[in-house]
CSV table of all heavy atoms in Angstrom, one decimal:
chain,number,residue,atom,x,y,z
A,1,LEU,N,-9.8,0.5,1.4
A,1,LEU,CA,-8.6,0.9,2.1
A,1,LEU,C,-8.2,-0.1,3.2
A,1,LEU,O,-7.0,-0.4,3.3
A,1,LEU,CB,-8.9,2.3,2.8
A,1,LEU,CG,-8.9,3.5,1.9
A,1,LEU,CD1,-9.5,4.7,2.6
A,1,LEU,CD2,-7.6,3.8,1.3
A,2,SER,N,-9.2,-0.7,3.8
A,2,SER,CA,-8.9,-1.8,4.8
A,2,SER,C,-8.3,-3.0,4.1
A,2,SER,O,-7.4,-3.6,4.6
A,2,SER,CB,-10.1,-2.1,5.6
A,2,SER,OG,-11.1,-2.7,4.8
A,3,THR,N,-8.8,-3.3,2.9
A,3,THR,CA,-8.2,-4.4,2.1
A,3,THR,C,-6.8,-4.1,1.7
A,3,THR,O,-5.9,-5.0,1.8
A,3,THR,CB,-9.1,-4.7,0.9
A,3,THR,OG1,-10.4,-5.0,1.3
A,3,THR,CG2,-8.5,-5.8,0.0
A,4,LEU,N,-6.5,-2.9,1.3
A,4,LEU,CA,-5.2,-2.5,0.9
A,4,LEU,C,-4.2,-2.6,2.1
A,4,LEU,O,-3.1,-3.1,1.9
A,4,LEU,CB,-5.2,-1.1,0.3
A,4,LEU,CG,-3.8,-0.5,0.0
A,4,LEU,CD1,-3.1,-1.3,-1.0
A,4,LEU,CD2,-4.0,1.0,-0.5
A,5,SER,N,-4.7,-2.2,3.2
A,5,SER,CA,-3.8,-2.2,4.4
A,5,SER,C,-3.5,-3.7,4.7
A,5,SER,O,-2.3,-4.0,5.0
A,5,SER,CB,-4.6,-1.6,5.6
A,5,SER,OG,-3.9,-1.8,6.8
A,6,LEU,N,-4.5,-4.6,4.7
A,6,LEU,CA,-4.3,-6.0,4.9
A,6,LEU,C,-3.4,-6.6,3.9
A,6,LEU,O,-2.5,-7.4,4.2
A,6,LEU,CB,-5.6,-6.7,5.0
A,6,LEU,CG,-5.6,-8.2,5.3
A,6,LEU,CD1,-5.0,-8.4,6.8
A,6,LEU,CD2,-7.0,-8.8,5.2
A,7,GLN,N,-3.5,-6.2,2.6
A,7,GLN,CA,-2.7,-6.8,1.6
A,7,GLN,C,-1.2,-6.4,1.8
A,7,GLN,O,-0.3,-7.2,1.6
A,7,GLN,CB,-3.2,-6.3,0.2
A,7,GLN,CG,-4.5,-7.0,-0.3
A,7,GLN,CD,-5.0,-6.3,-1.5
A,7,GLN,OE1,-4.9,-5.1,-1.8
A,7,GLN,NE2,-5.7,-7.1,-2.3
A,8,LEU,N,-1.0,-5.1,2.2
A,8,LEU,CA,0.4,-4.6,2.4
A,8,LEU,C,1.0,-5.3,3.6
A,8,LEU,O,2.2,-5.6,3.6
A,8,LEU,CB,0.4,-3.1,2.6
A,8,LEU,CG,0.0,-2.3,1.4
A,8,LEU,CD1,-0.3,-0.8,1.8
A,8,LEU,CD2,1.1,-2.3,0.4
A,9,TYR,N,0.2,-5.6,4.6
A,9,TYR,CA,0.7,-6.3,5.8
A,9,TYR,C,1.1,-7.7,5.4
A,9,TYR,O,2.1,-8.3,5.8
A,9,TYR,CB,-0.3,-6.3,6.9
A,9,TYR,CG,0.1,-7.1,8.1
A,9,TYR,CD1,1.2,-6.7,8.9
A,9,TYR,CD2,-0.6,-8.2,8.5
A,9,TYR,CE1,1.6,-7.4,10.0
A,9,TYR,CE2,-0.2,-8.9,9.7
A,9,TYR,CZ,0.9,-8.5,10.4
A,9,TYR,OH,1.3,-9.2,11.5
A,10,GLY,N,0.2,-8.4,4.5
A,10,GLY,CA,0.6,-9.7,4.0
A,10,GLY,C,1.8,-9.7,3.2
A,10,GLY,O,2.6,-10.6,3.3
A,11,LEU,N,2.0,-8.6,2.4
A,11,LEU,CA,3.2,-8.5,1.6
A,11,LEU,C,4.5,-8.4,2.5
A,11,LEU,O,5.5,-9.0,2.2
A,11,LEU,CB,3.1,-7.3,0.7
A,11,LEU,CG,4.1,-7.2,-0.5
A,11,LEU,CD1,4.0,-8.3,-1.4
A,11,LEU,CD2,3.9,-5.8,-1.2
A,12,TYR,N,4.3,-7.6,3.6
A,12,TYR,CA,5.4,-7.5,4.5
A,12,TYR,C,5.8,-8.8,5.1
A,12,TYR,O,7.0,-9.1,5.3
A,12,TYR,CB,5.0,-6.5,5.6
A,12,TYR,CG,5.9,-6.5,6.8
A,12,TYR,CD1,7.2,-6.0,6.8
A,12,TYR,CD2,5.4,-7.0,8.0
A,12,TYR,CE1,8.0,-6.0,7.9
A,12,TYR,CE2,6.2,-7.0,9.2
A,12,TYR,CZ,7.5,-6.5,9.1
A,12,TYR,OH,8.3,-6.6,10.2
A,13,LEU,N,4.8,-9.6,5.5
A,13,LEU,CA,5.1,-10.9,6.1
A,13,LEU,C,5.7,-11.8,5.1
A,13,LEU,O,6.6,-12.7,5.5
A,13,LEU,CB,3.8,-11.6,6.6
A,13,LEU,CG,3.1,-10.9,7.8
A,13,LEU,CD1,1.8,-11.6,8.2
A,13,LEU,CD2,4.0,-10.8,9.0
A,14,LYS,N,5.4,-11.7,3.8
A,14,LYS,CA,5.9,-12.5,2.8
A,14,LYS,C,7.3,-12.2,2.4
A,14,LYS,O,8.2,-13.0,2.3
A,14,LYS,CB,5.0,-12.5,1.6
A,14,LYS,CG,5.4,-13.4,0.4
A,14,LYS,CD,4.4,-13.3,-0.7
A,14,LYS,CE,4.8,-14.2,-1.9
A,14,LYS,NZ,3.9,-14.1,-3.0
A,15,ILE,N,7.6,-10.9,2.1
A,15,ILE,CA,8.9,-10.5,1.5
A,15,ILE,C,9.8,-9.7,2.5
A,15,ILE,O,10.9,-9.5,2.2
A,15,ILE,CB,8.7,-9.7,0.2
A,15,ILE,CG1,8.1,-8.3,0.5
A,15,ILE,CG2,7.9,-10.5,-0.8
A,15,ILE,CD1,8.1,-7.4,-0.7
A,16,GLY,N,9.1,-9.2,3.6
A,16,GLY,CA,9.9,-8.3,4.5
A,16,GLY,C,10.2,-7.0,3.9
A,16,GLY,O,9.4,-6.5,3.1
A,17,TYR,N,11.2,-6.3,4.4
A,17,TYR,CA,11.6,-5.0,3.9
A,17,TYR,C,12.3,-5.1,2.6
A,17,TYR,O,13.0,-6.0,2.3
A,17,TYR,CB,12.5,-4.3,5.0
A,17,TYR,CG,11.8,-4.1,6.3
A,17,TYR,CD1,11.9,-5.0,7.3
A,17,TYR,CD2,11.0,-2.9,6.5
A,17,TYR,CE1,11.2,-4.9,8.5
A,17,TYR,CE2,10.4,-2.7,7.7
A,17,TYR,CZ,10.5,-3.7,8.7
A,17,TYR,OH,9.8,-3.5,9.9
A,18,ILE,N,12.1,-4.1,1.7
A,18,ILE,CA,12.7,-4.1,0.4
A,18,ILE,C,14.3,-4.0,0.6
A,18,ILE,O,14.7,-3.4,1.6
A,18,ILE,CB,12.2,-2.9,-0.5
A,18,ILE,CG1,12.6,-1.6,0.2
A,18,ILE,CG2,10.8,-3.0,-0.7
A,18,ILE,CD1,12.3,-0.4,-0.7
A,19,LYS,N,15.0,-4.5,-0.4
A,19,LYS,CA,16.4,-4.6,-0.2
A,19,LYS,C,17.2,-3.9,-1.4
A,19,LYS,O,18.4,-3.8,-1.4
A,19,LYS,CB,16.9,-6.1,-0.1
A,19,LYS,CG,16.4,-6.8,1.1
A,19,LYS,CD,16.8,-8.2,1.2
A,19,LYS,CE,16.4,-8.9,2.5
A,19,LYS,NZ,15.0,-9.0,2.6
A,20,ASN,N,16.4,-3.4,-2.4
A,20,ASN,CA,17.0,-2.8,-3.5
A,20,ASN,C,16.0,-1.9,-4.3
A,20,ASN,O,14.8,-1.9,-4.0
A,20,ASN,CB,17.6,-3.8,-4.5
A,20,ASN,CG,16.7,-4.9,-4.8
A,20,ASN,OD1,15.6,-4.7,-5.3
A,20,ASN,ND2,17.1,-6.2,-4.6
A,21,ASP,N,16.4,-1.2,-5.3
A,21,ASP,CA,15.6,-0.3,-6.1
A,21,ASP,C,14.5,-1.1,-6.8
A,21,ASP,O,13.4,-0.6,-7.0
A,21,ASP,CB,16.4,0.5,-7.1
A,21,ASP,CG,17.3,1.6,-6.4
A,21,ASP,OD1,16.9,2.0,-5.3
A,21,ASP,OD2,18.3,1.9,-7.0
A,22,GLU,N,14.8,-2.3,-7.3
A,22,GLU,CA,13.8,-3.1,-8.0
A,22,GLU,C,12.6,-3.5,-7.1
A,22,GLU,O,11.5,-3.4,-7.5
A,22,GLU,CB,14.5,-4.4,-8.5
A,22,GLU,CG,13.6,-5.2,-9.4
A,22,GLU,CD,13.0,-4.5,-10.6
A,22,GLU,OE1,13.8,-3.6,-11.2
A,22,GLU,OE2,11.9,-4.8,-11.0
A,23,ASP,N,13.0,-3.8,-5.8
A,23,ASP,CA,11.9,-4.1,-4.8
A,23,ASP,C,11.1,-2.9,-4.6
A,23,ASP,O,9.8,-3.0,-4.5
A,23,ASP,CB,12.6,-4.5,-3.5
A,23,ASP,CG,13.1,-6.0,-3.5
A,23,ASP,OD1,12.8,-6.7,-4.5
A,23,ASP,OD2,13.7,-6.4,-2.5
A,24,TYR,N,11.7,-1.7,-4.6
A,24,TYR,CA,11.0,-0.5,-4.3
A,24,TYR,C,10.0,-0.2,-5.4
A,24,TYR,O,8.9,0.2,-5.2
A,24,TYR,CB,12.0,0.7,-4.2
A,24,TYR,CG,11.4,2.1,-4.1
A,24,TYR,CD1,10.9,2.5,-2.8
A,24,TYR,CD2,11.2,2.9,-5.1
A,24,TYR,CE1,10.3,3.7,-2.7
A,24,TYR,CE2,10.6,4.1,-5.0
A,24,TYR,CZ,10.1,4.5,-3.8
A,24,TYR,OH,9.5,5.7,-3.6
A,25,LYS,N,10.4,-0.4,-6.7
A,25,LYS,CA,9.5,-0.1,-7.8
A,25,LYS,C,8.3,-1.1,-7.8
A,25,LYS,O,7.2,-0.7,-8.0
A,25,LYS,CB,10.3,-0.3,-9.1
A,25,LYS,CG,11.3,0.8,-9.4
A,25,LYS,CD,12.1,0.5,-10.7
A,25,LYS,CE,13.2,1.5,-10.9
A,25,LYS,NZ,14.1,1.2,-12.1
A,26,GLN,N,8.6,-2.3,-7.5
A,26,GLN,CA,7.5,-3.3,-7.4
A,26,GLN,C,6.5,-3.0,-6.3
A,26,GLN,O,5.3,-3.1,-6.6
A,26,GLN,CB,8.1,-4.7,-7.3
A,26,GLN,CG,8.8,-5.3,-8.5
A,26,GLN,CD,9.4,-6.6,-8.2
A,26,GLN,OE1,9.2,-7.3,-7.2
A,26,GLN,NE2,10.1,-7.1,-9.2
A,27,VAL,N,7.0,-2.7,-5.1
A,27,VAL,CA,6.1,-2.4,-4.0
A,27,VAL,C,5.3,-1.1,-4.3
A,27,VAL,O,4.1,-1.0,-4.0
A,27,VAL,CB,6.9,-2.3,-2.7
A,27,VAL,CG1,6.0,-1.8,-1.6
A,27,VAL,CG2,7.4,-3.7,-2.3
A,28,THR,N,6.0,-0.1,-4.8
A,28,THR,CA,5.3,1.2,-5.1
A,28,THR,C,4.2,1.0,-6.1
A,28,THR,O,3.1,1.5,-6.0
A,28,THR,CB,6.3,2.2,-5.6
A,28,THR,OG1,7.3,2.4,-4.6
A,28,THR,CG2,5.7,3.5,-5.9
A,29,LYS,N,4.5,0.2,-7.2
A,29,LYS,CA,3.5,-0.1,-8.2
A,29,LYS,C,2.3,-0.8,-7.6
A,29,LYS,O,1.1,-0.5,-7.8
A,29,LYS,CB,4.1,-0.9,-9.3
A,29,LYS,CG,3.1,-1.1,-10.5
A,29,LYS,CD,3.8,-1.9,-11.6
A,29,LYS,CE,2.9,-2.0,-12.9
A,29,LYS,NZ,1.5,-2.5,-12.6
A,30,TYR,N,2.6,-1.8,-6.7
A,30,TYR,CA,1.6,-2.6,-6.1
A,30,TYR,C,0.7,-1.7,-5.2
A,30,TYR,O,-0.6,-1.8,-5.3
A,30,TYR,CB,2.3,-3.6,-5.1
A,30,TYR,CG,1.3,-4.6,-4.4
A,30,TYR,CD1,1.1,-5.8,-5.0
A,30,TYR,CD2,0.8,-4.2,-3.2
A,30,TYR,CE1,0.2,-6.7,-4.3
A,30,TYR,CE2,-0.1,-5.1,-2.5
A,30,TYR,CZ,-0.4,-6.4,-3.1
A,30,TYR,OH,-1.2,-7.2,-2.4
A,31,PHE,N,1.3,-0.8,-4.5
A,31,PHE,CA,0.5,0.2,-3.7
A,31,PHE,C,-0.3,1.1,-4.5
A,31,PHE,O,-1.5,1.3,-4.3
A,31,PHE,CB,1.5,1.0,-2.8
A,31,PHE,CG,0.9,2.0,-2.0
A,31,PHE,CD1,0.1,1.7,-0.9
A,31,PHE,CD2,1.0,3.4,-2.3
A,31,PHE,CE1,-0.5,2.7,-0.1
A,31,PHE,CE2,0.4,4.4,-1.5
A,31,PHE,CZ,-0.3,4.0,-0.4
A,32,ASN,N,0.3,1.8,-5.5
A,32,ASN,CA,-0.5,2.8,-6.3
A,32,ASN,C,-1.6,2.1,-7.1
A,32,ASN,O,-2.6,2.8,-7.3
A,32,ASN,CB,0.5,3.5,-7.3
A,32,ASN,CG,1.4,4.4,-6.5
A,32,ASN,OD1,1.1,5.0,-5.5
A,32,ASN,ND2,2.6,4.7,-7.0
A,33,ASP,N,-1.4,0.9,-7.6
A,33,ASP,CA,-2.4,0.2,-8.4
A,33,ASP,C,-3.7,-0.1,-7.6
A,33,ASP,O,-4.8,-0.2,-8.1
A,33,ASP,CB,-1.9,-1.1,-9.0
A,33,ASP,CG,-0.9,-0.9,-10.1
A,33,ASP,OD1,-0.8,0.3,-10.6
A,33,ASP,OD2,-0.2,-1.8,-10.5
A,34,ARG,N,-3.5,-0.2,-6.3
A,34,ARG,CA,-4.6,-0.6,-5.4
A,34,ARG,C,-5.2,0.5,-4.5
A,34,ARG,O,-6.2,0.4,-3.9
A,34,ARG,CB,-4.2,-1.8,-4.5
A,34,ARG,CG,-4.0,-3.1,-5.2
A,34,ARG,CD,-3.1,-4.1,-4.4
A,34,ARG,NE,-3.0,-5.3,-5.1
A,34,ARG,CZ,-2.2,-5.6,-6.2
A,34,ARG,NH1,-1.4,-4.6,-6.6
A,34,ARG,NH2,-2.2,-6.7,-6.8
A,35,LEU,N,-4.5,1.7,-4.6
A,35,LEU,CA,-4.9,2.8,-3.7
A,35,LEU,C,-6.1,3.5,-4.4
A,35,LEU,O,-6.0,4.0,-5.5
A,35,LEU,CB,-3.8,3.8,-3.6
A,35,LEU,CG,-4.1,5.1,-2.7
A,35,LEU,CD1,-4.3,4.6,-1.2
A,35,LEU,CD2,-3.0,6.1,-2.8
A,36,PRO,N,-7.3,3.5,-3.8
A,36,PRO,CA,-8.5,4.1,-4.4
A,36,PRO,C,-8.4,5.6,-4.4
A,36,PRO,O,-7.7,6.2,-3.6
A,36,PRO,CB,-9.6,3.6,-3.5
A,36,PRO,CG,-9.0,3.4,-2.2
A,36,PRO,CD,-7.6,2.9,-2.5
A,37,LYS,N,-9.1,6.2,-5.3
A,37,LYS,CA,-9.2,7.7,-5.3
A,37,LYS,C,-10.0,8.2,-4.1
A,37,LYS,O,-11.0,7.6,-3.7
A,37,LYS,CB,-9.8,8.2,-6.6
A,37,LYS,CG,-9.0,7.9,-7.9
A,37,LYS,CD,-9.7,8.4,-9.1
A,37,LYS,CE,-8.8,8.2,-10.3
A,37,LYS,NZ,-9.5,8.7,-11.6
A,38,TYR,N,-9.6,9.3,-3.6
A,38,TYR,CA,-10.3,9.9,-2.4
A,38,TYR,C,-10.0,11.4,-2.3
A,38,TYR,O,-9.1,11.9,-2.8
A,38,TYR,CB,-9.8,9.2,-1.1
A,38,TYR,CG,-8.3,9.4,-0.8
A,38,TYR,CD1,-7.9,10.5,0.0
A,38,TYR,CD2,-7.3,8.6,-1.3
A,38,TYR,CE1,-6.6,10.8,0.2
A,38,TYR,CE2,-6.0,8.8,-1.0
A,38,TYR,CZ,-5.6,9.9,-0.3
A,38,TYR,OH,-4.3,10.1,0.0
A,39,ASP,N,-11.0,12.0,-1.6
A,39,ASP,CA,-10.8,13.4,-1.2
A,39,ASP,C,-10.7,13.4,0.3
A,39,ASP,O,-11.6,13.1,1.0
A,39,ASP,CB,-12.0,14.2,-1.7
A,39,ASP,CG,-11.9,15.7,-1.3
A,39,ASP,OD1,-11.1,16.1,-0.5
A,39,ASP,OD2,-12.7,16.5,-1.9
A,40,ILE,N,-9.5,13.8,0.8
A,40,ILE,CA,-9.2,13.8,2.2
A,40,ILE,C,-10.3,14.5,3.1
A,40,ILE,O,-10.6,14.2,4.2
A,40,ILE,CB,-7.8,14.3,2.5
A,40,ILE,CG1,-7.4,13.9,4.0
A,40,ILE,CG2,-7.7,15.8,2.3
A,40,ILE,CD1,-7.2,12.5,4.3
A,41,HIS,N,-10.8,15.6,2.5
A,41,HIS,CA,-11.8,16.5,3.2
A,41,HIS,C,-13.1,15.8,3.3
A,41,HIS,O,-14.0,16.2,4.2
A,41,HIS,CB,-11.9,17.8,2.5
A,41,HIS,CG,-10.7,18.6,2.3
A,41,HIS,ND1,-10.0,19.1,3.4
A,41,HIS,CD2,-9.9,18.9,1.2
A,41,HIS,CE1,-8.9,19.7,3.0
A,41,HIS,NE2,-8.8,19.6,1.7
A,42,GLU,N,-13.4,14.7,2.5
A,42,GLU,CA,-14.7,14.1,2.6
A,42,GLU,C,-14.6,12.8,3.4
A,42,GLU,O,-15.6,12.1,3.6
A,42,GLU,CB,-15.2,13.8,1.2
A,42,GLU,CG,-15.5,15.0,0.4
A,42,GLU,CD,-16.1,14.7,-1.0
A,42,GLU,OE1,-16.2,13.5,-1.3
A,42,GLU,OE2,-16.3,15.6,-1.8
A,43,LEU,N,-13.5,12.4,3.9
A,43,LEU,CA,-13.3,11.2,4.6
A,43,LEU,C,-13.7,11.3,6.1
A,43,LEU,O,-13.4,12.3,6.7
A,43,LEU,CB,-11.8,10.7,4.6
A,43,LEU,CG,-11.2,10.4,3.2
A,43,LEU,CD1,-9.8,9.8,3.3
A,43,LEU,CD2,-12.1,9.5,2.3
A,44,GLY,N,-14.3,10.3,6.6
A,44,GLY,CA,-14.7,10.2,8.0
A,44,GLY,C,-13.5,9.6,8.8
A,44,GLY,O,-12.5,9.3,8.3
A,45,PHE,N,-13.8,9.5,10.1
A,45,PHE,CA,-12.7,8.9,11.0
A,45,PHE,C,-12.2,7.6,10.5
A,45,PHE,O,-11.0,7.4,10.4
A,45,PHE,CB,-13.3,8.8,12.4
A,45,PHE,CG,-12.3,8.2,13.4
A,45,PHE,CD1,-11.5,9.0,14.1
A,45,PHE,CD2,-12.3,6.8,13.6
A,45,PHE,CE1,-10.6,8.4,15.0
A,45,PHE,CE2,-11.4,6.2,14.5
A,45,PHE,CZ,-10.6,7.0,15.2
A,46,ARG,N,-13.1,6.7,10.2
A,46,ARG,CA,-12.7,5.3,9.9
A,46,ARG,C,-12.0,5.2,8.6
A,46,ARG,O,-11.0,4.5,8.4
A,46,ARG,CB,-13.9,4.4,9.9
A,46,ARG,CG,-13.6,2.9,9.9
A,46,ARG,CD,-14.8,2.1,10.2
A,46,ARG,NE,-15.2,2.3,11.6
A,46,ARG,CZ,-14.8,1.7,12.7
A,46,ARG,NH1,-13.8,0.8,12.5
A,46,ARG,NH2,-15.2,2.0,13.9
A,47,GLU,N,-12.4,6.0,7.6
A,47,GLU,CA,-11.7,6.0,6.3
A,47,GLU,C,-10.3,6.6,6.4
A,47,GLU,O,-9.4,6.0,5.8
A,47,GLU,CB,-12.5,6.8,5.2
A,47,GLU,CG,-13.9,6.3,4.9
A,47,GLU,CD,-15.0,6.9,5.8
A,47,GLU,OE1,-15.5,8.0,5.4
A,47,GLU,OE2,-15.3,6.2,6.8
């Protein structure tokens, strides 16, 4: 999760805010592909 957060921040610095639907699809796919499975009830503070 910390790696995903850092990758998304790096993506923001690189491309900025999305400007169209195509950007939205690419960023959403990038996010979903890297988001690990989790159970919110089993997560601690840091997770």
Side-chain angles (χ1 to χ4, degrees):
L1 289 169
S2 64
T3 298
L4 175 58
S5 172
L6 184 61
Q7 288 173 327
L8 291 168
Y9 179 62
L11 193 62
Y12 165 72
L13 293 178
K14 183 179 179 181
I15 69 170
Y17 297 90
I18 62 170
K19 295 178 177 67
N20 49 55
D21 288 335
E22 185 59 32
D23 284 353
Y24 176 80
K25 289 176 184 177
Q26 289 179 4
V27 170
T28 300
K29 185 178 187 304
Y30 184 94
F31 176 72
N32 289 332
D33 287 349
R34 289 163 176 76
L35 182 67
K37 292 181 180 179
Y38 63 89
D39 182 343
I40 192 69
H41 302 293
E42 294 182 2
L43 302 186
F45 176 90
R46 195 166 294 275
E47 296 92 84

